[in-house]
Amino acid sequence: MRIVLLGSPGSGKGTQAALMKVRLGIPHISTGVLLRNAAKRGTELGLKAKTIIDKGELVPDEIMSDMIEERLSRDDVAIGFILDGYPRNLAQAKSLYATLERLGTPADVAIHIDVDPEHIIGRIAKRAKEEDRSDDTEEVVRNRMRVYHEQTAPVIEYYAGRGLLTHVLGDGPIELVLERILSVLRVDQAPA
Ligand code: AP5
């Protein structure tokens, strides 16, 4: 199963992808995690990305497409993948389409996790107190939301146009959201 997860900052993409990885037995690929890990390692790319992440802007498409192409070429994705945080604009969506066509592994489904914006603000404020993410400050979150609406939201329509899009309600308990996703994927919901 090759799954693209879409949703605004704080919508629960990372949370759900981690649970789906366990239930579906396929890799979870998060571009946010890949970038933050590169920043922690202090690589040239990571340090460049960090200055952009800390403003809530998007890292340039060329960097992202190289990163994702390298990741999708590894053996472990032969059984499928859950893509979290990519694509994030129409250029990335088209680039991903071309890459997956070339690899002979087109996406099967795009799941948009749809959450009430008021819940998003509360979730990110809570995470800001619990974790140390440099882009969870009020000002940067506001910019991440703006970037999402301007650049990422059109990707939802892109997948709708390809007949691959499903919306899943992301409000409510984490396990309930997972159940909704598994039901869309027609996966047996009894724990493994
Ligand atoms: P990224 O790491 O992808 O951040 P994001 O999309 O802003 O998403 P978040 O991690 O904030 O939210 P999420 O939807 O994963 O929710 P989560 O599960 O964590 O990207 C960070 C930055 O990297 C970008 O701004 C950009 O600069 C750069 N970047 C990344 N990809 C890029 C790309 N393709 N191109 C260019 N730049 C790129 O949940 C949020 C919180 O809510 C958690 O605390 C969680 O515990 C809680 N929560 C989750 N579900 C529930 C629930 N149902 N009920 C209550 N709480 C919940």
Side-chain angles (χ1 to χ4, degrees), residues 7-16 30-33 35-36 49 52-53 56-61 64 84-88 92 123-124 127 130-131 133 135-136 144 170-174 177:
S8 76
S11 60
K13 301 182 297 297
T15 302
Q16 293 301 326
S30 159
T31 45
V33 169
L35 290 167
R36 283 189 289 277
I52 299 169
I53 291 171
E57 299 292 335
L58 294 186
V59 173
D61 292 342
M64 298 314 303
D84 155 19
Y86 191 94
R88 242 174 161 99
Q92 292 184 6
R123 285 184 192 181
I124 295 187
R127 184 173 64 188
E130 293 167 354
E131 295 176 27
R133 241 178 87 162
D135 60 346
D136 272 348
R144 285 163 59 198
D171 294 315
I174 288 169
V177 179

Side-chain angles (χ1 to χ4, degrees), residues 29-182:
I29 302 173
S30 159
T31 45
V33 169
L34 291 175
L35 290 167
R36 283 189 289 277
N37 285 345
K40 272 188 209 141
R41 288 198 307 275
T43 65
E44 192 183 337
L45 182 154
L47 295 177
K48 182 175 176 195
K50 182 164 169 35
T51 62
I52 299 169
I53 291 171
D54 286 355
K55 292 185 202 140
E57 299 292 335
L58 294 186
V59 173
D61 292 342
E62 316 79 70
I63 293 179
M64 298 314 303
S65 59
D66 286 352
M67 177 179 279
I68 213 72
E69 180 144 0
E70 188 280 324
R71 185 63 190 86
L72 290 174
S73 304
R74 292 198 212 156
D75 291 344
D76 66 334
V77 298
I79 52 169
F81 54 78
I82 306 152
L83 213 41
D84 155 19
Y86 191 94
R88 242 174 161 99
N89 59 29
L90 284 176
Q92 292 184 6
K94 289 173 188 167
S95 168
L96 177 65
Y97 175 80
T99 299
L100 293 178
E101 281 295 302
R102 193 165 38 70
L103 294 170
T105 55
D108 297 308
V109 62
I111 298 176
H112 169 222
I113 306 180
D114 195 4
V115 177
D116 181 336
E118 292 205 1
H119 295 168
I120 298 273
I121 293 161
R123 285 184 192 181
I124 295 187
K126 185 163 176 278
R127 184 173 64 188
K129 285 189 194 138
E130 293 167 354
E131 295 176 27
D132 187 26
R133 241 178 87 162
S134 55
D135 60 346
D136 272 348
T137 62
E138 201 181 322
E139 188 189 346
V140 177
V141 170
R142 213 177 299 123
N143 196 40
R144 285 163 59 198
M145 296 301 283
R146 183 190 61 77
V147 168
Y148 174 77
H149 287 294
E150 288 178 9
Q151 302 196 46
T152 311
V155 174
I156 297 172
E157 286 311 307
Y158 172 88
Y159 282 107
R162 293 197 167 273
L164 294 176
L165 184 73
T166 301
H167 298 277
V168 167
L169 181 62
D171 294 315
I174 288 169
E175 285 300 329
L176 178 59
V177 179
L178 177 65
E179 272 179 39
R180 292 181 190 133
I181 291 174
L182 295 177

